[in-house]
Amino acid sequence: MRAALDGDQAAYATLLHGLDGWLRSYFRSRLPAAAVDDAVQEALIAVHEKRHTYRPGLPVLPWVAAIARYKWIDWLRALPRNEDPLLDELADIPRDAPAQAVVDLEALLARLKPAQARVIRLVKLQGFSVAEASRRTGQSESLVKVNIHRGLALLSRQVRDAAPDTGACGTGPG
């Protein structure tokens, strides 16, 4: 990204090609197949238009992930309010499931100590390295790892304890 910002066209082409693959993966898990190409193109255009906002020295992926997330939210907002979308891929999924997942995730993270929630957001959700999370939070790298491990373990226990009993095999009664 730095080279692209300095005018290196080959570096810029390489960057956009790499981001294309990452964005496809990102949107494939969040949108119906028919919307993925458009979402990728919109995100790449936004990367191009907003490239001046990238701060050299910071990881590029969290910056791109933020742009992709905004494009995904734009897509969710554009869904018709009074009718169900005619998209086979979403037929069995409530329309608000992705948005509700964000709300549920934030509610879960709110149960953690702030230091645990912050490093989980940085490393697991935004893609920062443990070292970068350490620099951003002032926690040692070891403490970042411990906070992630303990926070995820606590959340796992809480979710498991809140789930209905499905039997020893996880397949339900019977």
Side-chain angles (χ1 to χ4, degrees):
M1 183 62 154
R2 281 187 219 135
L5 290 174
D6 289 337
D8 184 335
Q9 292 301 316
Y12 193 53
T14 301
L15 172 71
L16 293 179
H17 179 71
L19 291 179
D20 181 88
W22 187 89
L23 288 165
R24 282 187 189 289
S25 176
Y26 178 90
F27 288 121
R28 232 183 266 124
S29 67
R30 290 165 176 81
L31 297 175
V36 170
D37 285 339
D38 288 342
V40 168
Q41 289 306 311
E42 287 180 27
L44 288 173
I45 289 168
V47 164
H48 177 73
E49 291 175 346
K50 300 295 184 185
R51 68 188 184 279
H52 67 278
T53 67
Y54 170 73
R55 294 192 325 223
L58 294 179
V60 73
L61 193 54
W63 178 78
V64 172
I67 290 172
R69 183 173 179 271
Y70 285 116
K71 291 300 172 186
W72 172 60
I73 290 169
D74 288 346
W75 187 88
L76 290 175
R77 287 181 180 147
L79 285 175
R81 298 268 186 227
N82 297 327
E83 60 186 70
D84 291 331
L86 300 174
L87 301 169
D88 293 339
E89 292 89 351
L90 295 180
D92 296 332
I93 301 171
R95 266 199 327 206
D96 65 347
Q100 185 60 47
V102 171
V103 171
D104 292 344
L105 178 60
E106 287 302 319
L108 284 170
L109 290 173
R111 297 178 182 182
L112 298 175
K113 294 177 182 176
Q116 291 173 333
R118 183 151 188 233
V119 294
I120 289 171
R121 279 188 184 95
L122 288 170
V123 175
K124 298 298 184 182
L125 301 178
Q126 296 177 353
F128 286 96
S129 69
V130 169
E132 184 64 27
S134 172
R135 283 191 292 279
R136 286 176 170 259
T137 63
Q139 299 176 31
S140 70
E141 289 185 31
S142 296
L143 184 56
V144 168
K145 292 176 186 177
V146 167
N147 275 333
I148 290 170
H149 175 76
R150 289 182 181 168
L152 291 177
L154 176 62
L155 291 178
S156 178
R157 280 193 305 276
Q158 290 177 348
V159 169
R160 185 177 56 245
D161 292 347
D165 187 16
T166 57
C169 296
T171 57

